[in-house]
Amino acid sequence: LSMYIKNLSSNQCIFGIYDGRKHLANFKITIKEKVAEIGFLVFLKHRGKKLIYKNFEKIKNLYLLKKNKIKYLILGVDKKNKRAINLYKNLGFKFKRDSNKIMNYKL
């Protein structure tokens, strides 16, 4: 993980989600003009606990997004991953008009 973090480009940041000292999940944001790509990784034993749902308000209000005047969050999702698709829809993400793999969220 430390090598992965060291090799992030200047437009990428990785964040952790913790419960006290327990590391539960990560998410990575890549800043591109007025758009931020976001990816989530919830560790196996913490899946199904609504971690992303519970933390999404904090995520979308990150200073990093405001500073870069981000208008949209976008993410890729496997069309077979119904659980993830339902989560993202419940958060307010919508599929891009021309895609069944890319979802976006207007900030």
Side-chain angles (χ1 to χ4, degrees):
L1 182 60
S2 61
M3 284 303 292
Y4 178 80
I5 292 169
K6 286 179 184 179
N7 290 319
L8 291 174
S9 62
S10 62
N11 67 330
Q12 297 178 312
C13 293
I14 191 164
F15 298 87
I17 297 175
Y18 292 83
D19 181 9
R21 298 182 72 158
K22 187 185 273 187
H23 190 182
L24 310 174
N26 291 325
F27 63 97
K28 182 175 90 172
I29 295 177
T30 303
I31 302 294
K32 298 184 175 183
E33 294 181 30
K34 309 296 183 226
V35 173
E37 293 177 0
I38 190 164
F40 300 102
L41 172 64
V42 177
F43 302 138
L44 286 174
K45 63 183 176 180
H46 302 295
R47 290 185 183 167
K49 297 180 182 177
K50 300 188 181 217
L51 291 173
I52 303 305
Y53 187 84
K54 291 175 184 176
N55 287 280
F56 190 65
E57 196 66 32
K58 292 176 188 173
I59 292 168
K60 70 181 187 177
N61 288 309
L62 285 170
Y63 175 72
L64 173 71
L65 301 175
K66 294 182 186 317
K67 178 181 98 175
N68 287 284
K69 299 178 181 165
I70 299 301
K71 304 283 186 209
Y72 289 92
L73 295 175
I74 62 171
L75 55 79
V77 63
D78 182 340
K79 62 185 175 182
K80 295 176 187 171
N81 191 343
K82 301 297 184 198
R83 206 165 155 187
I85 291 169
N86 287 335
L87 166 66
Y88 301 143
K89 284 182 176 180
N90 285 333
L91 292 173
F93 281 84
K94 297 178 181 172
F95 278 103
K96 286 183 74 173
R97 205 173 319 144
D98 58 346
S99 176
N100 64 354
K101 294 181 181 181
I102 305 296
M103 299 182 83
N104 60 36
Y105 179 92
K106 184 173 183 181
L107 290 172

